[in-house]
Amino acid sequence: MSDHAASARRRQLIELARSTRGFMPDNEGEALLDAAARAGRAFPRPLLVEIGAWCGKSTIYLGCAAEETGGVLFSVDHHRGSEENQVGWEHHDPDLVDPTDGRIDTLPHWRRSVATAGLEACVVGVVGDSPTVAARWRTPLAFCFIDGGHGEEPAWADYRGWAPLVAEGGWLAIHDVFEDPAEGGRPPYDLWRHALASGQFVEDGREGSLRILRKVATTPP
Ligand code: SAH
Ligand code: MG
């Protein structure tokens, strides 16, 4: 693909991501795409994972990075919504409820987003519980984006399950990191602090509430 065609394709996907429903500000989505594309270029046949896909907004940004770098994005979500998406909570959206059983089902919306974006060749949906998938995952990741359940227990389960799977020299991104408790819940911030304090990750960028970390290489070259 020519540079011109590649940048037109990127612009098309960014436009599409912006108009897709979800929880990712435009500037943070582009920062996510840039970081994932850097990670994709650093590894042969790069493997990207996102935890928390909802209707596919972040999936399109990350899928764009996978497409550009010849990689594959595995998008993990049970598509039943987090605690904060359930009836009566702040981020509930009644038209995402399946009328047959009254439960949230974002999978049809996610699927449509990926198809509309033309990303089905490089995005694979993994429908299920994130820690259950992580416990059985073996292939090291070039890039991992954590944006699943934001409560204490789900957030730490995602970190404990997925952070060890990031390849040495690979990237970990965490969403909804708020240094001021008045702006949002603590768990994503605590994960980020813990990752830095562990000495296993160093900061590699930030945009809004998005934090990018890079895993330190421990094996001598
Ligand atoms: N990244 C999305 C927003 C994700 S919202 C965007 O750009 O808009 C958080 C998502 O995490 C929800 O879709 C919810 O279903 C998912 N989730 C929460 N806990 C989960 C778990 N244990 N396993 C898999 N997915 C989970
Ligand atoms: Mg988020």
Side-chain angles (χ1 to χ4, degrees):
M1 201 189 273
S2 69
D3 285 357
H4 179 74
S7 72
R9 172 67 171 151
R10 185 186 263 233
R11 278 199 309 278
Q12 178 198 28
L13 288 175
I14 289 172
E15 278 313 304
L16 210 55
R18 286 182 175 190
S19 66
T20 300
R21 95 165 93 178
F23 307 103
M24 179 59 62
D26 297 348
N27 58 323
E28 298 178 25
E30 281 193 54
L32 183 68
L33 162 54
D34 287 340
R38 258 189 296 142
R41 285 191 297 269
F43 289 83
R45 303 177 67 234
L47 217 149
L48 291 73
V49 162
E50 78 166 331
I51 317 303
W54 192 241
C55 297
K57 194 177 183 72
S58 51
T59 312
I60 296 177
Y61 287 111
L62 293 170
C64 177
E67 185 182 82
E68 283 181 4
T69 61
V72 175
L73 169 68
F74 290 86
S75 172
V76 181
D77 199 311
H78 51 38
H79 289 282
R80 295 304 191 183
S82 304
E83 191 179 38
E84 52 273 23
N85 307 122
Q86 305 304 319
V87 183
W89 286 71
E90 186 187 353
H91 296 292
H92 182 65
D93 193 340
D95 64 79
L96 296 173
V97 172
D98 178 347
T100 61
D101 62 5
R103 301 174 73 193
I104 288 178
D105 184 7
T106 52
L107 181 57
H109 300 265
W110 178 87
R111 195 173 172 79
R112 200 170 310 126
S113 300
V114 173
T116 304
L119 286 169
E120 286 174 310
C122 55
V123 175
V124 176
V126 180
V127 182
D129 175 54
S130 156
T132 305
V133 178
R136 286 150 186 88
W137 195 277
R138 292 291 169 270
T139 316
L141 310 176
F143 190 88
C144 181
F145 175 52
I146 296 185
D147 191 24
H150 289 12
E152 190 80 26
E153 200 189 305
W156 280 104
D158 284 342
Y159 181 82
R160 292 204 183 92
W162 293 100
L165 293 163
V166 175
E168 286 186 8
W171 278 259
L172 174 68
I174 303 176
H175 199 224
D176 303 301
V177 170
F178 298 107
E179 290 173 40
D180 178 357
E183 287 183 63
R186 290 295 77 200
Y189 173 78
D190 293 340
L191 265 46
W192 174 66
R193 296 293 306 169
H194 176 87
L196 289 171
S198 73
Q200 288 185 60
F201 291 93
V202 292
E203 182 157 1
D204 191 49
R206 54 168 79 188
E207 179 71 36
S209 74
L210 179 71
R211 295 290 178 279
I212 313 288
L213 299 161
R214 188 153 189 206
K215 199 174 216 178
V216 174
T218 49
T219 317

